[in-house]
Amino acid sequence: MRQRPKKLSEDTKPSSSGEASGSSSEGPKVNNNVRVVAKRSVRAVLLYFVLIVYGSWSVYRYQFDTLPAPFTAEQVGKRGFSEHEAMEHVKELTEFGPHPVGSNALDLAVQYVKQAAETIKEKAHWEVDVELDLFHADPGANCLVGGLFKGKSLVYADLHHIVLRISPKHDYEAKESAILVSSHIDTVFSTEGAGDCSSCVAVMLELSRGVSQWAHGFKNAVIFLFNTGEEEGLNGAHSFITQHPWSDTIQMAIDLEAMGIGGRSSIFQAGPHPWAIEKFAEVAKYPSGQVAAQDLFESGAIKSATDFQVYKEVAGLSGLDFAYADRTAVYHTKNDKLNLLKPGSLQHLGDNMLSFLLQAAASSDLPKRNAVESDGRSVQETATYFDILGMYMVVYSQHSATMLNYSVIMQSLLIWTASLVMGGYSAVVSLILSCLSVILMWLFSISFSATIACTIPLISSSPVPYVSNPWLVIGLFGAPAFLGAFTGQHVGYLILQDYLENSFSKRRGNLSSRVQSDLAKLDAERWIFKSGLLQWLILLVIGSYFKIASSYLAIFWLVSPAFAYGLLEATLSPARLPKPLKTVTLLLGLSVPVLISSGLVIRLAATVIGTAVRFERNPGATPEWLGNLIVAVYISTVICLTMVYLLSYIHISGAKVPIIIASFILLGVSLCLITVGVVPPFTEDTARAVNVVHVVDTTGTYGNKQEPISYISLFSTTPGNLIKEAEHIGNKFVCGRDKRIDFVNFSVKYGCLTETSAKSGWQMSDVPQLHVVNDVKGDQRITQVSIDTKVSTRWSLGINTVMVEDFELKDDAETLVPVGDKTSADGWHTIQFSGGRNAPNKFTLTLYWDRNQTTTTKTENKKGNGILLKLRTDVNKLTPPVEKILHKLPSWCALFGKSTSPLTLAFLTNLPIHL
């Protein structure tokens, strides 16, 4: 790219600015021999791409894939953290196999943790007091209202926790102020849980060993809670925080979790008081945390919850929530196993946590529960925080973030106003047309990638063929999104160029048409570049208005390019003509934003892709292309936000054709790979989530002697039909949308059922019973129902809140859910019960009907499907028919467990509205 003026005087030399090119001033006379070449080197543009792509990948690898070397016990001594020692705990816990609540394996896992804690107690520093409590929780009800828990009462019984309190000996004041470190021992029924969360339990055991050698200098106790019941609805944390006598002393909570297996354990929730994140940033050896992940999690986009919600909502505690997030596709499946746990993962979390605990436990200024500011206002706003390459962490308050954001916004608006005033009418029109280019860029980018997203289910064996090979999304969605972004921006560029040519012909009529055309190209390029600044300014305004903490990203993507442009390109002289943007402007402007955000962008993309295996909460309820569309829109959004500056450099270069051809080739190759099946959508290590359930169904038979219907159900939370899997299994499975099953917590709207009855492996005495004991019809109808869940200590009961105003649940000994305000979801309130082997199985439910319900209308019947109560009981048992099918289950499939999913044997029954 170069400019070759012929015999130019000083007055005719092109300037480095186009801000005021729309001035009405006629300007100096210009020699008609002036020639401006508006062209950029192809190699330069390709080099920009290589630098940005390679730089982004390097940042990601360094920020998220670089792990510390594991240490042995000999290397760290008594007071350090050893991954080798922690890994021994992981190995022992995973050898028990899956250990869900109510299983013998969980009892063995709890006993192992207890023995390890006793060893720690025996070897503690002589001036340190280590107290060990095997806590058996009383029955209780967890009635959280936020996130996933609307319309639910989570009831529990017979839960056992290991609680370890470490404090200075003879310092009783330290015991009255404690820091809680918590994780869960239990797993879902489908996995040994190396990542979720044996790795967390192992880190806590090794941390407690180290802390037991330091605590003689502490001012606060440290309580390690190894709870059970987390996987069934955060019940372990709730039972501890509401029942244990030590819970009143806790001032701060730290939760350790996993949404995958291994890698860097990052903070994805902090606050609401900023003290913990500020101290962590000061002392952590390998700080890792992004407030953008917190914004995403709290938005509800990720359908999950952790014990931290209990500590924050129920106990009013502030603190930190950590999670492993590598390989999120293995979450709650058989592939959450030991051999996928990366070396250095435990060392990373352990070193960070040990440094933090030593600092926090020795501090005399821990924030109190429900901490308030000096003016009496509750602290509800957390800090903005993010790490840089996993080496440094930046933390600042919400107040500081607001001041910074508004300062940048005001300065940007002043600069834009000054520029438009000096540029006049032409500048205003140019700004409007450059904004049009941004709008077209977004429309074309999303349209192109969305088209591919909707096409993939038609040409591929799976609607999400990229789960086992996430880099396929670069070709499948990245290429069309980039093509669309460039096409849309180029259309806007041509419209803007045409306007500027007309403008130059009127104002610079003494120049040749060729020169006018080239000047218009150069000025259009500058306006397109500046439209990216305006795009980020708008996002910053929106983020500041709604107090979105991750708005800090807009600061970097606005300020850095604006600074580079202002330093190297801008001028206030209205008489200067535009010239090409400098290469160094792009490199200087994008270096900081790429450094700050590229790792986060790639990590979030991997998380979104990994969650595709469990995308459908109600299997078959969403279009097959919806998951693809979410991934496609995310990638289009990233490209439109981050490539807006780089794309402006392409329009006057010869790189347009090579880049377009390369993008089409990349897209074509990717489509061929998934169409032909060269790249499998799932593998043994990254499997499709499915559920095989032996269903015994007595719904619709209340009061009759009709025999239960028994069959095997196959369904998947991963988008796509199950025809290939059903054919692989055989066993006369029939698939379709007419095979619907209501599992109380969710509905299977597409699945497969066996045609043959499955009568073995269960008995009639196992079928749960709903029986109306009393039904009084007065001013308010009151119905008493006895519930016998027989062999099941895990069940879900749906109550029709269209008909029922309130209810009360009791077991033989006490009230579990009292009368009071109840929330509902889609006209139902769900009681979700989970307990140990000695949990009760007989209950009394008292229903208080809606006083306005004198008769049952057709509309109300329709809303409740004519059902008053619906019950599902679960048994963690492999019947012979299920064992046979699991033996034939393809290697690319894995059972998926969660609190709302049935176990491998489920009984269904209900009670009609007309009793």
Side-chain angles (χ1 to χ4, degrees):
M1 171 186 57
R2 61 188 182 279
Q3 204 171 293
R4 297 196 296 269
K6 296 182 180 179
K7 301 179 182 179
L8 281 177
S9 68
E10 281 297 313
D11 288 336
T12 61
K13 289 182 180 179
S15 167
S16 61
S17 173
E19 276 75 79
S21 64
S23 173
S24 60
S25 172
E26 293 183 2
K29 293 182 179 180
V30 183
N31 192 314
N32 284 326
N33 292 325
V34 172
R35 186 183 178 198
V36 179
V37 179
K39 190 174 183 181
R40 179 168 283 110
S41 166
V42 175
R43 286 181 293 181
V45 173
L46 296 179
L47 180 60
Y48 299 158
F49 273 96
V50 171
L51 287 175
I52 288 177
V53 172
Y54 180 76
S56 299
W57 174 242
S58 299
V59 168
Y60 169 74
R61 289 297 299 267
Y62 195 87
Q63 187 172 6
F64 290 101
D65 278 358
T66 304
L67 295 169
F71 290 138
T72 64
E74 292 75 18
Q75 288 174 306
V76 301
K78 288 184 176 181
R79 295 187 165 190
F81 184 93
S82 166
E83 177 173 304
H84 284 215
E85 294 299 303
M87 282 298 293
E88 291 301 315
H89 296 308
V90 180
K91 292 175 183 176
E92 293 290 339
L93 290 169
T94 54
E95 284 181 0
F96 296 124
H99 36 280
V101 169
S103 66
N104 292 330
L106 181 59
D107 292 341
L108 295 174
V110 169
Q111 186 62 31
Y112 172 81
V113 174
K114 179 176 178 289
Q115 291 173 353
E118 288 173 342
T119 302
I120 291 167
K121 180 178 180 178
E122 292 171 2
K123 297 183 178 180
H125 190 280
W126 65 277
E127 291 184 291
V128 173
D129 189 14
V130 179
E131 300 167 85
L132 175 62
D133 182 26
L134 178 58
F135 178 58
H136 181 238
D138 293 331
N142 180 4
C143 298
L144 296 171
V145 295
L148 304 176
F149 303 103
K150 182 182 179 182
K152 289 185 178 182
S153 296
L154 308 176
V155 185
Y156 52 83
D158 193 34
L159 299 180
H160 296 266
H161 317 314
I162 304 296
V163 192
L164 197 64
R165 181 165 69 176
I166 303 177
S167 59
K169 193 169 288 186
H170 309 306
D171 186 349
Y172 297 103
E173 289 186 3
K175 295 182 179 181
E176 295 304 310
S177 176
I179 300 167
L180 175 68
V181 183
S182 171
S183 192
H184 61 95
I185 305 174
D186 61 306
T187 70
V188 293
F189 77 93
S190 54
T191 178
E192 64 190 34
D196 185 19
C197 213
S198 294
S199 60
C200 310
V201 171
V203 167
M204 284 174 55
L205 286 171
E206 180 62 5
L207 277 174
S208 58
R209 182 197 62 79
V211 168
S212 70
Q213 305 299 322
W214 287 93
H216 53 284
F218 287 177
K219 295 180 181 178
N220 308 282
V222 179
I223 296 175
F224 292 92
L225 169 63
F226 305 87
N227 71 64
T228 63
E230 190 273 349
E231 296 292 7
E232 299 300 331
L234 319 182
N235 295 330
H238 186 272
S239 61
F240 171 80
I241 214 71
T242 56
Q243 297 181 25
H244 200 282
W246 293 349
S247 66
D248 292 336
T249 67
I250 297 170
Q251 307 301 328
M252 179 187 300
I254 313 297
D255 183 50
L256 307 184
E257 256 298 350
M259 291 194 300
I261 182 167
R264 289 198 168 205
S265 183
S266 299
I267 296 171
F268 70 102
Q269 290 190 95
H273 197 286
W275 190 93
I277 189 65
E278 289 172 351
K279 292 301 179 184
F280 178 82
E282 289 178 10
V283 301
K285 295 177 69 174
Y286 320 103
S288 183
Q290 299 286 341
V291 74
Q294 176 173 309
D295 286 342
L296 182 65
F297 190 82
E298 292 181 347
S299 72
I302 297 178
K303 304 296 183 182
S304 188
T306 71
D307 285 338
F308 193 68
Q309 183 175 346
V310 171
Y311 303 137
K312 195 163 60 169
E313 288 187 17
V314 178
L317 295 169
S318 292
L320 304 173
D321 201 3
F322 292 81
Y324 290 113
D326 270 15
R327 302 180 70 109
T328 57
V330 309
Y331 177 74
H332 283 194
T333 70
K334 66 177 182 180
N335 293 318
D336 184 3
K337 51 192 177 184
L338 187 63
N339 65 337
L340 295 182
L341 194 56
K342 291 181 182 177
S345 300
L346 306 189
Q347 193 70 49
H348 176 265
L349 176 58
D351 281 345
N352 282 343
M353 278 297 302
L354 185 59
S355 299
F356 173 75
L357 288 176
L358 296 182
Q359 174 82 0
S363 175
S364 58
D365 61 344
L366 286 182
K368 304 302 180 182
R369 289 191 185 207
N370 298 305
V372 295
E373 296 178 343
S374 57
D375 61 359
R377 293 184 295 111
S378 295
V379 178
Q380 297 296 336
E381 297 175 342
T382 188
T384 295
Y385 59 91
F386 57 92
D387 71 90
I388 302 175
L389 296 179
M391 300 172 62
Y392 309 99
M393 179 165 279
V394 178
V395 181
Y396 52 95
S397 67
Q398 180 74 60
H399 179 69
S400 298
T402 301
M403 291 181 61
L404 176 62
N405 291 355
Y406 285 151
S407 174
V408 171
I409 290 169
M410 292 304 298
Q411 292 180 58
S412 299
L413 291 177
L414 287 173
I415 293 172
W416 273 107
T417 301
S419 177
L420 294 177
V421 169
M422 294 184 65
Y425 174 79
S426 178
V428 173
V429 175
S430 298
L431 175 62
I432 294 172
L433 293 178
S434 65
C435 290
L436 175 63
S437 74
V438 171
I439 295 171
L440 292 174
M441 176 183 68
W442 281 85
L443 290 176
F444 277 66
S445 181
I446 292 176
S447 298
F448 282 24
S449 59
T451 300
I452 299 299
C454 296
T455 302
I456 285 176
L458 304 177
I459 64 175
S460 172
S461 61
S462 170
V464 285
Y466 43 79
V467 174
S468 63
N469 293 277
W471 296 112
L472 273 174
V473 300
I474 297 175
L476 293 175
F477 304 127
F482 179 82
L483 281 169
F486 174 70
T487 302
Q489 194 186 78
H490 192 65
V491 171
Y493 167 83
L494 293 177
I495 296 172
L496 177 59
Q497 178 193 338
D498 184 63
Y499 167 76
L500 290 173
E501 281 189 26
N502 292 331
S503 178
F504 275 114
S505 68
K506 295 176 182 178
R507 294 182 294 106
R508 302 286 185 177
N510 55 341
L511 294 176
S512 68
S513 59
R514 173 64 182 272
V515 172
Q516 291 172 6
S517 176
D518 283 350
L519 288 175
K521 291 178 182 178
L522 295 176
D523 208 17
E525 177 187 60
R526 289 169 169 273
W527 278 108
I528 295 294
F529 183 94
K530 289 185 290 183
S531 70
L533 300 175
L534 187 60
Q535 170 182 259
W536 281 104
L537 175 59
I538 293 171
L539 289 175
L540 181 59
V541 171
I542 295 172
S544 300
Y545 179 80
F546 290 104
K547 295 185 178 180
I548 300 173
S550 49
S551 297
Y552 77 90
L553 291 168
I555 293 280
F556 286 106
W557 282 94
L558 171 60
V559 172
S560 184
F563 174 78
Y565 187 89
L567 179 67
L568 301 171
E569 306 288 356
T571 177
L572 296 178
S573 172
R576 299 292 181 91
L577 298 178
K579 67 178 183 180
L581 292 171
K582 297 180 178 67
T583 301
V584 69
T585 302
L586 184 68
L587 298 179
L588 179 62
L590 296 188
S591 57
V592 174
V594 167
L595 179 70
I596 295 297
S597 61
S598 57
L600 171 64
V601 166
I602 296 173
R603 170 47 65 98
L604 288 180
T607 301
V608 171
I609 293 167
T611 57
V613 299
R614 55 185 187 277
F615 175 74
E616 296 194 278
R617 300 188 66 80
N618 296 286
T622 58
E624 290 188 342
W625 45 260
L626 184 59
N628 286 338
L629 185 63
I630 292 173
V631 177
V633 170
Y634 172 80
I635 292 175
S636 294
T637 300
V638 169
I639 286 177
C640 290
L641 290 175
T642 62
M643 289 288 185
V644 63
Y645 301 114
L646 178 58
L647 289 175
S648 67
Y649 275 66
I650 303 176
H651 303 295
I652 63 171
S653 77
K656 293 189 288 292
V657 174
I659 288 175
I660 292 173
I661 292 174
S663 298
F664 271 113
I665 291 174
L666 183 58
L667 173 60
V669 170
S670 301
L671 289 174
C672 288
L673 289 175
I674 65 169
T675 302
V676 177
V678 174
V679 179
F682 306 101
T683 64
E684 187 170 354
D685 284 338
T686 307
R688 179 180 187 180
V690 299
N691 286 88
V692 178
V693 186
H694 189 153
V695 179
V696 179
D697 190 353
T698 64
T699 56
T701 63
Y702 183 77
N704 300 324
K705 298 295 184 180
Q706 185 177 338
E707 288 291 316
I709 302 171
S710 181
Y711 53 86
I712 307 299
S713 168
L714 174 68
F715 62 88
S716 177
T717 56
T718 307
N721 63 56
L722 290 161
I723 295 174
K724 185 177 180 181
E725 288 78 5
E727 290 176 349
H728 191 281
I729 297 171
N731 218 62
K732 297 183 179 180
F733 269 109
V734 178
C735 304
R737 294 188 176 275
D738 57 336
K739 315 300 178 186
R740 299 192 173 193
I741 306 175
D742 186 348
F743 279 117
V744 182
N745 276 311
F746 68 100
S747 296
V748 174
K749 299 184 178 181
Y750 172 87
C752 305
L753 302 181
T754 51
E755 290 185 323
T756 55
S757 179
K759 295 183 178 180
S760 61
W762 61 276
Q763 300 175 355
M764 282 296 297
S765 59
D766 298 336
V767 177
Q769 298 294 317
L770 294 173
H771 178 65
V772 177
V773 177
N774 197 10
D775 187 25
V776 178
K777 299 178 182 179
D779 291 339
Q780 182 180 31
R781 185 177 181 181
I782 301 174
T783 303
Q784 196 173 68
V785 181
S786 68
I787 303 172
D788 187 350
T789 62
K790 299 298 178 76
V791 295
S792 174
T793 59
R794 183 185 193 258
W795 50 267
S796 297
L797 177 72
I799 302 173
N800 186 342
T801 54
V802 174
M803 306 301 297
V804 174
E805 184 178 279
D806 207 343
F807 66 86
E808 180 181 63
L809 179 71
K810 295 182 178 180
D811 65 4
D812 292 337
E814 59 187 299
T815 300
L816 299 177
V817 182
V819 173
D821 293 335
K822 307 290 195 310
T823 60
S824 64
D826 299 325
W828 293 90
H829 185 95
T830 303
I831 299 175
Q832 188 173 305
F833 183 93
S834 176
R837 286 179 298 166
N838 297 319
N841 55 14
K842 289 183 173 61
F843 307 88
T844 300
L845 178 69
T846 304
L847 303 174
Y848 300 88
W849 292 61
D850 190 334
R851 295 177 188 271
N852 298 322
Q853 296 291 344
T854 56
T855 58
T856 304
T857 66
K858 291 182 179 180
T859 302
E860 289 157 350
N861 259 322
K862 185 176 181 181
K863 284 184 178 180
N865 295 319
I867 298 172
L868 182 65
L869 302 176
K870 52 183 182 179
L871 174 67
R872 185 192 87 218
T873 59
D874 299 329
V875 183
N876 190 16
K877 174 183 178 182
L878 293 180
T879 63
V882 170
E883 278 192 297
K884 181 180 178 181
I885 290 171
L886 290 180
H887 182 71
K888 296 179 179 179
L889 194 69
S891 60
W892 68 83
C893 293
L895 295 182
F896 178 69
K898 60 180 179 180
S899 61
T900 55
S901 292
L903 300 178
T904 47
L905 174 59
F907 295 87
L908 303 178
T909 191
N910 61 28
L911 192 67
I913 289 176
H914 296 289
L915 302 176

